Amino acid sequence: MSTLMISDLHLDPQRPEVTAAFLQFLHRQTRDADALYILGDLFEAWIGDDNDDDLADQVASALAARPIPKFFMHGNRDFLLGADYAARCGMQLLNDPCVIDLYGERVLLMHGDLLCTDDAAYQAFRTQVRDPQWQQGFLAQPLAARRAFAAQARAASAAHQSGFANMESITDVTPATVDAYLHQYRVTQLIHGHTHRPAVHTERGHRRIVLGDWYDQGSVLEIPADGEWTLQTLPIRHGVSS
């Protein structure tokens, strides 16, 4: 038995091969799992739980069919995913950050964007869109208006990132911020996604595991109840629909 963790799938109707890989993962690898944790950005964009597209229905049905505990933490793309959709999926919503007991060990879970404090412009945007009043106003708009906003936000994000002279340092985590969170929550283990740089970092007396994205290949952290943690890759067959 083991616990599985994934993030940054960025599911999108325009990338059906990733949806197909995710559905196959659910069918094959979660069958004997103790739990599944999704640490944000399950979807490329989420415009509200009243989203009526086929992808939302397909993912909810597939997740609900897996009879294991499932947990979801908001990412920077799907922070509007609410209790109604989580219930459809059979998922429990998690705060970001949160500490869990993982087979007797305290582990800090985060999506990861809070760790990227060198990107001041993004952090200001994050504060704005996480405000309950902003979210209430956004969700009150018609679906068409929300879809248009999401498209504009994606384009603005791409333009913002392309303007960095030192993309590697700006969009990665800030080491001092990592240390501050580990100290605040009194842990030595941190698992997060967001940066799309899968790796296991052992440094400064702690271990930080970064989950990968699901673009060219899938990324899964498998944590056995008694055994070595492994950061695995999964094939994505491009050109294959779900």
Side-chain angles (χ1 to χ4, degrees):
M1 302 295 282
S2 61
T3 293
L4 304 173
M5 297 198 183
I6 58 177
S7 72
D8 298 281
L9 286 82
H10 294 269
L11 297 179
D12 187 302
Q14 297 181 10
R15 298 196 303 133
E17 67 276 7
V18 180
T19 302
F22 175 56
L23 298 179
Q24 186 176 66
F25 158 77
L26 288 178
H27 178 70
R28 292 183 177 179
Q29 289 192 243
T30 67
R31 186 173 302 169
D32 298 319
D34 289 324
L36 171 65
Y37 287 80
I38 304 173
L39 300 187
D41 286 358
L42 174 61
F43 293 96
E44 174 66 13
W46 190 257
I47 57 174
D49 286 4
D50 57 343
N51 183 14
D52 57 2
D53 65 26
D54 292 339
L55 176 61
D57 291 339
Q58 186 178 26
V59 171
S61 296
L63 282 166
R66 308 315 300 165
I68 62 171
K70 298 174 288 287
F71 303 91
F72 176 82
M73 177 179 287
H74 293 115
N76 55 295
R77 299 299 184 98
D78 50 18
F79 56 86
L80 289 171
L81 194 152
D84 289 347
Y85 188 74
R88 287 175 57 191
C89 298
M91 301 188 302
Q92 178 180 332
L93 296 176
L94 297 176
N95 292 326
D96 181 7
C98 73
V99 176
I100 65 170
D101 185 312
L102 195 55
Y103 304 120
E105 184 170 3
R106 283 168 47 86
V107 178
L108 178 63
L109 303 181
M110 304 180 71
H111 173 59
D113 55 338
L114 283 170
L115 300 171
C116 302
T117 50
D118 285 345
D119 188 350
Y122 167 73
Q123 294 300 331
F125 173 78
R126 186 187 193 280
T127 299
Q128 174 192 353
V129 299
R130 297 302 179 102
D131 180 79
Q133 290 187 339
W134 184 94
Q135 294 186 2
Q136 183 178 9
F138 178 80
L139 292 173
Q141 298 179 39
L143 274 172
R146 283 180 265 157
R147 287 195 177 98
F149 177 89
Q152 292 173 358
R154 289 196 296 271
S157 175
H160 171 61
Q161 293 184 15
S162 67
F164 287 137
N166 188 355
M167 186 72 176
E168 288 297 314
S169 63
I170 291 292
T171 59
D172 204 356
V173 302
T174 303
T177 305
V178 172
D179 290 344
Y181 274 102
L182 291 166
H183 176 76
Q184 177 183 350
Y185 288 93
R186 302 187 303 279
V187 295
T188 59
Q189 303 269 16
L190 167 62
I191 301 170
H192 71 85
H194 179 65
T195 64
H196 299 196
R197 294 175 170 89
V200 179
H201 302 274
T202 303
E203 53 198 6
R204 301 186 299 281
H206 66 258
R207 179 166 63 169
R208 178 171 64 92
I209 299 180
V210 186
L211 306 175
D213 60 61
W214 287 53
Y215 282 94
D216 296 323
Q217 58 191 14
S219 179
V220 180
L221 176 63
E222 182 173 4
I223 304 171
D226 183 14
E228 189 70 22
W229 298 14
T230 58
L231 189 57
Q232 306 169 357
T233 58
L234 301 178
I236 292 179
R237 297 176 58 194
H238 293 278
V240 176
S241 68
S242 58

